Amino acid sequence: MVISSIDMKDGKVVQLKNGKDLVLERDNPLELMQEFNKYGEVAIIDLDGAFGNTNPKGNTANSETIKSLIRHGNVRVGGGIRDVKKAKELISLGAEKIIIGSAAFSKNPSEDNILNTAFLEELVTAIGKQRIIISVDAINGNIAIKGWTETSGVPLIQGAKAAEKYASELLFTCVERE
């Protein structure tokens, strides 16, 4: 399935090549949302959240815009969702699904400990598996984390197989091709 995506950074819509280099920037996320919504669900990604650029309350320069966009269509939201409270808030505002990336994976992965299972089990209990998408983006075949700035050391296929238990969908991006 192809899902249109709006990536937000510093309050603007952006496209980053390989997660780093700015390719385009636009000031009109609502206009873009209305256009993309004609074709089905839209993913909205808070890149500042993914990079950890948050204030003490966990908000970014994009938070208010994203909350507004959720009200304008069928939206899945990702980028920096690291706790159940944030996921529940986004669902309560109208997000159809939540995309979890870095928070889904163990901080110290080992053969037996790939996922952050305590977080994922709490998330499934709070919002239901059907509302969870786990991002299994990869760089050179390993799961990418922290806004694609690092890899977890977990091979893509191994991470994807483990993540299936906790999500209704997996989202994959080959970062070096993006």
Side-chain angles (χ1 to χ4, degrees):
M1 170 176 7
V2 176
I3 305 288
S4 299
S5 183
I6 298 173
D7 294 348
M8 302 281 308
K9 186 171 185 332
D10 299 323
K12 298 182 184 289
V13 175
V14 299
Q15 181 180 8
L16 303 179
K17 182 178 176 156
N18 305 120
K20 297 175 189 168
D21 303 320
L22 183 66
V23 175
L24 73 88
E25 181 177 276
R26 293 177 66 173
D27 291 320
N28 53 356
L30 180 57
E31 182 180 304
L32 198 57
M33 172 67 188
Q34 290 169 331
E35 179 65 27
F36 285 173
N37 196 49
K38 292 177 188 175
Y39 308 105
E41 240 176 84
V42 178
I44 301 174
I45 308 299
D46 187 342
L47 294 177
D48 290 320
F51 294 137
N53 299 330
T54 60
N55 67 23
K57 292 185 178 182
N59 293 317
T60 70
N62 312 307
S63 294
E64 291 308 312
T65 300
I66 290 171
K67 288 175 185 177
S68 173
L69 291 174
I70 288 172
R71 296 181 186 102
H72 287 91
N74 297 333
V75 175
R76 46 182 65 197
V77 180
I81 302 170
R82 293 183 177 86
D83 61 56
V84 172
K85 180 181 176 188
K86 178 81 167 187
K88 286 173 65 174
E89 175 191 16
L90 292 166
I91 293 293
S92 74
L93 291 171
E96 300 286 328
K97 296 183 180 189
I98 301 300
I99 303 167
I100 303 297
S102 301
F105 295 92
S106 174
K107 292 182 184 191
N108 300 305
S110 66
E111 191 69 32
D112 300 336
N113 185 28
I114 295 171
L115 299 175
N116 181 353
T117 55
F119 168 67
L120 292 172
E121 287 171 3
E122 183 182 0
L123 188 62
V124 167
T125 300
I127 66 171
K129 179 181 174 179
Q130 74 281 1
R131 291 188 179 267
I132 300 170
I133 301 168
I134 296 180
S135 181
V136 291
D137 303 331
I139 299 172
N140 298 320
N142 288 304
I143 300 289
I145 56 173
K146 297 185 180 176
W148 299 350
T149 61
E150 296 179 20
T151 59
S152 65
V154 174
L156 169 63
I157 300 301
Q158 185 180 8
K161 284 182 178 180
E164 285 180 310
K165 177 180 177 184
Y166 299 98
S168 63
E169 299 176 42
L170 300 178
L171 171 64
F172 170 70
T173 301
C174 179
V175 177
E176 49 277 276
R177 301 259 186 221
E178 214 275 326

